[in-house]
Amino acid sequence: MPPTHELRRERLRARFRADGAEAALVTRLVNVRYLTGFTGSNAALLVTGDHAVLATDGRYITQSGTQSPDVERLFDRSCAPALVRRAVQAGVLRLAFEAHDVTVEDHAALSRLDGAPELVELGHVVEELRTVKDDEEIALVALACAVSDEALRGLCPTVRAGRTERDVARDLDGRMLAAGADARAFETIVATGPNSAVPHHRPTDRTIESGDLLKIDFGALVGGYHADCTRTFVVGREPEEWQREIHDVVRRAQRAGRHALVPGADLRGVDSAAPDVVVAAGFGDAFTHGLGHGVGLEIHEAPAFSQQATGKLEVGSPVTVEPGVYLPGRGGVRIEDTLVVREGGADLLTTTTKDLLVL
Ligand code: ZN
Ligand code: ZN
């Protein structure tokens, strides 16, 4: 029996009990996976005070038995209604549900079921539980980062003027798979020349020209866990002064952001650490996004570094630090690492050099 998942369900019980509910209906698939290990595409989970029922459909009879042997299983294509009926049988009067996942239409249908319990909001409780990872999860994030580093190391010597963004992106994706990734963690960003000034540029058929900045934001997916890394290079010749300048600013800002990753740090304070450096260098208008985000079963998850964030940084949270400076029409630089917060500071998981390499 995998004790990890039962341990996680115990933590969830403590939370919904404290809010006066007798059970929780978990419908977000990634949260079902976190609480049971089940990876199918249709599922929901009912957690009562002393029991757990996983609902999925007939396609997953074997898989659910293998992945989640320690929960009762129920097979029905309409997972949530089946579990609410199960909750009624168990005498549940107050059922917490994931209001950020259930549609208004589905909520109305669940409320109309015979003898339906009172539905109360669970909130983002499972997402909060997920922010602090156990050793096994951190090892998977670290492995995804190592695979990403290896793929980039292989790619760099092959980059030259004349290749297209799309070609380079496909090449890097292939190298991640060859290095052991199950898939890429998200659509790889390869942005060259003026396109590098677009934070989330999608690769095009633009041909790399000598002297271009080349920004690559990518990551591998391993065992369900994501890596996230950005590096910016120059192609073909020594960088121009402005390229060197913005790279230096971003690099210093990124260092300040990494050093702000101490346990107990205020999330909003972490978010400010890097922009302070960018503003002081006179590029305040050119940094237009949050400093970083949690990484785990999702590529973007809690905690998020932003000026709206509340809460504090905790030991065992993998997070990214990714400041950028973008000069529209000219080019941009972003440097992003995935790190894990530890007692003394943060461990770097993406270890590719942050020097402005000439490829
Ligand atoms: Zn990224
Ligand atoms: Zn990121």
Side-chain angles (χ1 to χ4, degrees), residues 40 53 61 91 126 130 149-150 162 167 171 173 178 183 210 225 246 252 256 268 274 325 331 333 335 343:
V53 187
I61 293 173
V126 185
R130 283 171 39 205
D149 279 326
E150 184 182 335
D167 170 39
D171 189 351
D173 292 349
S210 182
Y225 285 80
I246 61 173
R252 284 189 289 117
R268 207 180 319 167
V325 165
V333 172
I335 299 174
E343 276 305 340

Side-chain angles (χ1 to χ4, degrees), residues 147 150 172-181:
V147 164
E150 184 182 335
L172 183 55
D173 292 349
R175 288 174 191 275
M176 284 194 277
L177 292 174

